[in-house]
Amino acid sequence: MSAREPRPAHYRCVGIGAGPANLSLASLLHADPDVPNLFLDRKDEFGWHDGQLVDGATLQVSPLKDLVSLHDPTNPYSFLNYLHEQGRIYHFLNARFDSVPRREYRNYLEWAARRNPNVVFGEAVTAVDFDGIFTLRTNRRTVTADHVVVGVGAEPWVPEFARGLLGDSQCHVADFNGMAGALGGRSVVVIGGGQSGAEAVLDLIARTGSALPRDTVWVSRRRNFFPIDDSPFTNEFFMPCHSDYFYNLDAESRAAFNRQHVLASDGISESTARELYQRLYVHRFVDQRDETVGMYPNRDVVDVTREGARWLVAVRHRDESDQFEYFEADAIIWATGYRPGALDFLAPLADRLEREHGEFTVDEDFAVRWDGPPDRSIFLQNAVPRQRGLADPNLSLNSWRAQRIRDRIRGTRSRDQLAAFVEWSTKPGRSMPV
Ligand SMILES: Cc1cc2nc3c(=O)[nH]c(=O)nc-3n(C[C@H](O)[C@H](O)[C@H](O)COP(=O)(O)OP(=O)(O)OC[C@H]3O[C@@H](n4cnc5c(N)ncnc54)[C@H](O)[C@@H]3O)c2cc1C
């Protein structure tokens, strides 16, 4: 910094990203005079997976799993307060949604971002360095902080061979809305059997007239188009005590858990599955257009090649592995998931931060282990699924995790809710009835 440059603004806490994870912390910190804070997001304005927000999409969790309620139910940034401030709390109750429209929840998040002056859009953090305090460079300015909280979310993922193919006629489902209008009368292949793939397929096959694709083929690696497990005991995986239990497992057990229980967070909503099935019924038996939809689970897409103006999608069956199928497509939607976002802006500190199995290593408060002073931390939200499990990207523990980070910054400890009914770990010394 030259002698003439003004000293950068200093905060106790600066957040990188303002999606639900960091918005939760921003909401908890908003009225906290002890922790001056700033949250920066590179988007020009708020959005929440808007590129794939299709009509009829709903939230997969209770709206009480909002930014604050599970750990600070009197906080003004709650979903209930949003409804109340908009004057629609009675209407919301009367509507008795089985699940809340995702657009309504998105609007709630936008409201929370807007009413909080510490949340700023249009500012990308490009580098974080440390010299007694953290220095964050953005595309607009430099700020400094005692603590940094990274909440940059996840990025769309497609297989290696598909990366160079994305463009006008192939996209990740994150950009579905950009392509969706041009798919009437075309052949479309959707790859990926989770909720995002299901929503894209449903959007396509629910259309009528010239907007309906000529045919829609849905390919999934999973053995069937499986539902999300939203049952009570599975939901105990999404409680703080389970997150801590998971954190203390060895790496191999954690990886096995994430593999085995993927449907706890990544299956198709029951209502979406039912609606899809009903559409299939109508296409085949009522409209007698059997060719409109093809369902192909238990298959890997192994290659995509040009075939004149179209694409040829090569698919291998996972049981009958000598059997290949080929689908011609005008357009391909890759609903192949997300992976934690790149943290390139941490490059100046890279050799000071501990890593394990491809992630930065965090302590029990989500602070990266490093060689810096213990009262200066970089916290990671939704970036360590291998250490914190399937709940890490989920909305369920947002307010708890944010509260834990806030406690660490303030040197306090909030009371947790009571433990799950399920005993996750052994209780040495306890005598058990036989
Ligand atoms: C379509 C969809 C629906 C989902 N629905 C549910 C659901 O119903 N229930 C559930 O529990 N979970 C759901 N999830 C999973 C999860 O809750 C969301 O992905 C959630 O958005 C994660 O929040 P986040 O804040 O970690 O990341 P994001 O929402 O991705 O936010 C990260 C933010 O960081 C910003 N950013 C990135 N890099 C920088 C940088 N260098 N500088 C500044 N800003 C930066 C981005 O612009 C972005 O706004 C859903 C996911 C998807 C894709």
Side-chain angles (χ1 to χ4, degrees), residues 16-22 40-43 47-49 52 58-61 102 121 123-126 151-154 196 199 338 345 381-382 393-396 398 401:
I16 306 175
N22 263 352
L40 303 168
D41 197 294
R42 68 182 174 191
K43 282 196 200 106
W48 189 49
H49 305 304
Q52 67 178 103
T58 56
L59 199 62
Q60 283 192 303
V61 294
R102 196 181 298 148
F121 286 89
E123 203 163 341
V125 174
T126 54
V152 297
S196 294
E199 286 176 7
Y338 290 79
F345 47 79
Q381 305 227 57
N382 181 11
N394 195 275
L395 297 174
S396 300
N398 264 356
R401 183 176 54 199

Side-chain angles (χ1 to χ4, degrees), residues 88-211:
R88 60 176 81 144
I89 199 159
Y90 286 96
H91 312 76
F92 181 81
L93 280 181
N94 293 344
R96 295 174 74 165
F97 292 111
D98 288 332
S99 35
V100 174
R102 196 181 298 148
R103 203 182 300 280
E104 174 66 332
Y105 196 76
R106 176 226 175 273
N107 292 344
Y108 152 67
L109 294 172
E110 182 175 34
W111 164 88
R114 271 202 198 167
R115 85 197 290 274
N116 188 335
N118 301 337
V119 177
V120 173
F121 286 89
E123 203 163 341
V125 174
T126 54
V128 179
D129 212 338
F130 184 78
D131 182 12
I133 51 173
F134 291 102
T135 302
L136 294 92
R137 277 195 296 283
T138 82
N139 54 328
R140 292 205 189 143
R141 59 177 156 163
T142 297
V143 294
T144 60
D146 295 337
H147 301 283
V148 173
V149 186
V150 177
V152 297
E155 284 169 3
W157 184 89
V158 296
E160 185 86 44
F161 68 86
R163 282 180 202 157
L165 303 175
L166 301 186
D168 290 345
S169 56
Q170 292 196 40
C171 71
H172 188 273
V173 71
D175 301 315
F176 179 71
N177 288 340
M179 193 183 279
L183 299 178
R186 321 294 300 278
S187 296
V188 185
V189 172
V190 178
I191 302 162
Q195 177 68 12
S196 294
E199 286 176 7
V201 171
L202 181 57
D203 181 83
L204 294 172
I205 70 174
R207 297 173 179 193
T208 54
S210 59

Side-chain angles (χ1 to χ4, degrees), residues 22 37 82 90 100 111 114 148 206 243 256 265 291 305 383 388:
N22 263 352
N37 61 88
Y82 158 73
Y90 286 96
V100 174
W111 164 88
R114 271 202 198 167
V148 173
S243 177
S265 71
E291 71 288 358
T305 48
R388 281 288 173 175

Side-chain angles (χ1 to χ4, degrees), residues 301-375:
V301 172
V302 291
D303 202 9
V304 175
T305 48
R306 265 268 174 226
E307 185 85 346
R310 309 183 89 197
W311 297 103
L312 194 64
V313 182
V315 171
R316 182 167 52 207
H317 197 281
R318 287 169 72 84
D319 293 330
E320 304 151 2
S321 57
D322 52 339
Q323 304 292 322
F324 284 83
E325 291 154 306
Y326 297 90
F327 300 105
E328 286 189 24
D330 299 307
I332 300 173
I333 314 295
W334 294 89
T336 38
Y338 290 79
R339 296 287 185 280
L343 304 178
D344 298 347
F345 47 79
L346 293 179
L349 297 172
D351 56 358
R352 306 188 61 180
L353 310 175
E354 284 183 31
R355 290 166 191 271
E356 63 178 81
H357 308 292
E359 292 178 346
F360 290 115
T361 309
V362 293
D363 66 18
E364 64 284 2
D365 296 330
F366 298 88
V368 180
R369 293 190 194 279
W370 75 317
D371 66 2
D375 59 346

